[in-house]
Amino acid sequence: MSASSKKKLRNSQDGSKLTERQMAEQKEAKKLKLYTAAFVVVLAVLVVVALAVGINQAVANSGIRERKTVAMTVGDETVSSAEMSYFFSDYCRNYYSQNSTFLQYLMDPSSPLDSQVYNPETGETWADFLLEMAQDNVRSIYALSAAAEAAGHTLSEDEEASVENTISTMRLYAQLYGFSDLESYLKAMYGKGSTEESYREYCLRSALAGSYYTAYSESLTYDDAALREAEKDNFDTYSSFTYNSYYLSTSRFLEGGTTDENGTTTYSDEERAAASAAAEAAVKTLTDPETITSPEALDEAIAALSINQGSETSVASTIYEDKLYTSIDSDVAAWLAGSRKEGDLTAIAKTSVSTDDSGAEVTTVSGYYVVWFVSRNDNKAPLDNVRHILVGFEGGTTDSNGSTTYSDEEKAAARTEAESILAQWKAGDKTEDSFAALATEKTDDTASAETGGLYEDISPASNYVTAFKEWALDDSRKPGDTGIVETEYGYHVMYYCGESALTYRDSMIKNDLVNADMEAWYEALLEAWPVTPGETKYLPMDMTLGY
């Protein structure tokens, strides 16, 4: 090969190599370009993901989802998860606080409600159960508050002040527990969707519902004709009875029996028949009109029964005074309400009916009520009205159970103050008005301060401390009477205003009419507010009740 040919070949090879290098460079450049494009795409995705995570986190923390999500619909109104959280959380806490003694055997307050099964058959959790109850509460409050608005009913100044006091108390708790503001505390208590504005609306709506329910109930009136019509077929229902009673159980006469390895004793038919015969014979002794001529004679006969011999405690009948017909055993009440006179005596068998192996009904006497009739009270006495000035005890020592006791010195100081107040009143014109003015100025009973210490329509069924109620109901009491009564709260300077226009009997009849009419009104009100459950994932179903 000539030198020129070799040169051409070399040049050709060099050119080929250059082309390959260029091609490689171009390939690398292309690859780099692809990688760069892919990186840009991945980076963009990462940015989007990061942005989405940031937005979701921001949304989650903002409470927007809770405020926008419908937790339930009641009537035509939607209730957001944020709003429902108020109802649900408060209902759960109130339910537990009111039933804690009972619930301690059924639930663990330190565990989430949605992790504890309420109904093993259905798998329903405590959270499910309480949510259903809270939904009923929402339905009630929305229906009542809407009815209040339709009727033009508004909160009184005191009721509005009570709501604001609730808000102020929550604000105080927020500061106490180190929260920056009320809203932060509300979020911790009820969830991220909480705001001060919505919490106030929740409080106002609830207060309006309760206020209207009370106002509507108090607006119901009944004339004498309506009261008499209501009692026409239920006269005995509103009467009370005083009587002695002793229950004699047939089982106390059982003898013999066979006891198994578990300690369970069974009796033969013959042994049970003998016990029944013995009980029947004992009852005849206790109701013998020749020997049982007084409650004392009855008690002597009871103590003399063979089954009561050797008893470490005295055995006698129980005296029941002015016991309302509806609270007495039905068979005993029916006998008492008959044409009875003082000294009437009877034995009333308590029976049960069962079916034997052949399918026949068998009546068994489990025992007897031996009853001595004393008197009947148709409760036609008027109710009573009083005023009082409470001088509460001060100081005291509180034990680990929260019970406070007061020393003799502390009680004596309260007594001295009560006597001073009564003396101050007696030194004046000694009128009811002056007593009322003094009560407004000096009483420690804030509930009655604005009304001059007034409590009206006090009856035997009224829920007042015993000494207070007994003073007010004393038959010898006359208008203008005064006195000092000691209760667990302190000393009460008492003033008797006089009798109410309403009798105890009519007050009971009226209460029954009100209850029946309120129930019918309330049920009709709820019918227009059906409930449709919504989304629950933003509700605090995992809340605990432990503190």
Side-chain angles (χ1 to χ4, degrees), residues 322 377 379 381-386 455-478 481 485 494-500 502-504 507:
D322 269 344
N377 179 3
N379 295 315
L383 303 181
D384 295 286
N385 304 325
V386 300
Y455 283 98
E456 297 179 293
D457 295 340
I458 301 174
S459 77
S462 295
N463 189 28
Y464 297 107
V465 287
T466 302
F468 182 99
K469 184 167 71 173
E470 287 181 348
W471 190 94
L473 297 178
D474 190 328
D475 289 339
S476 66
R477 200 68 60 213
K478 301 181 186 65
D481 282 356
V485 173
M494 305 292 294
Y495 179 93
Y496 184 73
C497 305
E499 296 178 342
S500 169
L502 194 66
T503 66
Y504 180 34
S507 73

Side-chain angles (χ1 to χ4, degrees), residues 344-532:
D344 281 354
L345 178 66
T346 193
I348 301 169
K350 296 303 295 181
T351 62
S352 60
V353 179
S354 59
T355 304
D356 63 16
D357 295 338
S358 65
E361 288 189 349
V362 178
T363 299
T364 303
V365 177
S366 57
Y368 299 86
Y369 279 109
V370 178
V371 186
W372 174 280
F373 181 85
V374 177
S375 63
R376 174 188 180 118
N377 179 3
D378 288 332
N379 295 315
K380 294 182 178 181
L383 303 181
D384 295 286
N385 304 325
V386 300
R387 294 184 186 273
H388 85 129
I389 301 170
L390 173 63
V391 179
F393 296 132
E394 293 184 357
T397 303
T398 304
D399 61 22
S400 58
N401 297 320
S403 178
T404 302
T405 56
Y406 299 92
S407 66
D408 291 342
E409 292 77 12
E410 289 167 335
K411 289 186 175 182
R415 174 80 191 197
T416 299
E417 175 64 16
E419 290 173 345
S420 175
I421 291 173
L422 182 56
Q424 180 181 343
W425 175 77
K426 287 183 176 180
D429 59 13
K430 295 189 287 187
T431 64
E432 181 178 344
D433 287 342
S434 63
F435 190 95
L438 205 55
T440 298
E441 177 188 351
K442 294 183 175 294
T443 188
D444 289 332
D445 177 18
T446 55
S448 67
E450 292 188 2
T451 60
L454 180 64
Y455 283 98
E456 297 179 293
D457 295 340
I458 301 174
S459 77
S462 295
N463 189 28
Y464 297 107
V465 287
T466 302
F468 182 99
K469 184 167 71 173
E470 287 181 348
W471 190 94
L473 297 178
D474 190 328
D475 289 339
S476 66
R477 200 68 60 213
K478 301 181 186 65
D481 282 356
T482 58
I484 296 177
V485 173
E486 180 184 355
T487 71
E488 61 192 270
Y489 301 105
Y491 283 98
H492 305 254
V493 182
M494 305 292 294
Y495 179 93
Y496 184 73
C497 305
E499 296 178 342
S500 169
L502 194 66
T503 66
Y504 180 34
R505 181 179 191 83
D506 285 354
S507 73
M508 289 189 285
I509 299 172
K510 180 184 176 183
N511 285 340
D512 283 351
L513 289 173
V514 168
N515 290 338
D517 288 346
M518 285 297 293
E519 182 178 357
W521 171 77
Y522 180 66
E523 290 300 323
L525 201 64
L526 291 184
E527 285 183 6
W529 292 82
V531 169
T532 303

Side-chain angles (χ1 to χ4, degrees), residues 284-315:
K284 288 181 179 179
T285 299
L286 298 180
T287 55
D288 181 2
E290 297 296 323
T291 57
I292 309 301
T293 57
S294 67
E296 292 74 20
L298 173 61
D299 289 343
E300 289 177 4
I302 291 171
L305 292 175
S306 60
I307 57 172
N308 291 330
Q309 296 301 302
S311 175
E312 295 181 357
T313 58
S314 60
V315 183

Side-chain angles (χ1 to χ4, degrees), residues 121-299:
E121 294 183 2
T122 64
E124 181 184 20
T125 67
W126 273 99
D128 297 326
F129 167 73
L130 292 171
L131 176 60
E132 186 175 350
M133 299 298 101
Q135 288 171 338
D136 287 342
N137 191 35
V138 173
R139 183 187 189 191
S140 175
I141 289 174
Y142 270 66
L144 285 166
S145 59
E149 292 174 356
H153 179 82
T154 58
L155 293 176
S156 67
E157 290 184 3
D158 287 344
E159 289 168 335
E160 288 183 348
S162 179
V163 170
E164 290 307 315
N165 184 58
T166 298
I167 304 295
S168 297
T169 300
M170 295 294 277
R171 187 172 283 110
L172 182 63
Y173 281 141
Q175 295 174 357
L176 182 64
Y177 292 116
F179 289 88
S180 59
D181 54 30
L182 173 57
E183 194 156 299
S184 299
Y185 180 64
L186 292 174
K187 289 180 185 294
M189 283 286 290
Y190 298 105
K192 298 172 182 176
S194 303
T195 66
E196 181 175 342
E197 180 183 359
S198 63
Y199 183 71
R200 177 178 276 101
E201 176 60 31
Y202 158 71
C203 292
L204 287 169
R205 187 191 292 269
S206 299
L208 182 63
S211 173
Y212 184 59
Y213 186 91
T214 300
Y216 187 87
S217 174
E218 292 176 349
S219 72
L220 298 177
T221 58
Y222 306 90
D223 59 18
D224 187 68
L227 297 176
R228 302 288 73 80
E229 179 64 26
E231 76 170 350
K232 185 172 61 176
D233 298 323
N234 303 283
F235 190 87
D236 294 328
T237 300
Y238 305 104
S239 297
S240 299
F241 299 86
T242 298
Y243 61 99
N244 286 64
S245 178
Y246 176 70
Y247 184 70
L248 187 66
S249 175
T250 301
S251 64
R252 296 192 61 196
F253 294 89
L254 283 169
E255 294 181 351
T258 303
T259 303
D260 62 20
E261 58 185 11
N262 296 320
T264 302
T265 303
T266 57
Y267 297 90
S268 66
D269 291 342
E270 291 76 11
E271 290 168 333
R272 291 188 177 280
S276 295
E280 187 175 352
V283 165
K284 288 181 179 179
T285 299
L286 298 180
T287 55
D288 181 2
E290 297 296 323
T291 57
I292 309 301
T293 57
S294 67
E296 292 74 20
L298 173 61
D299 289 343

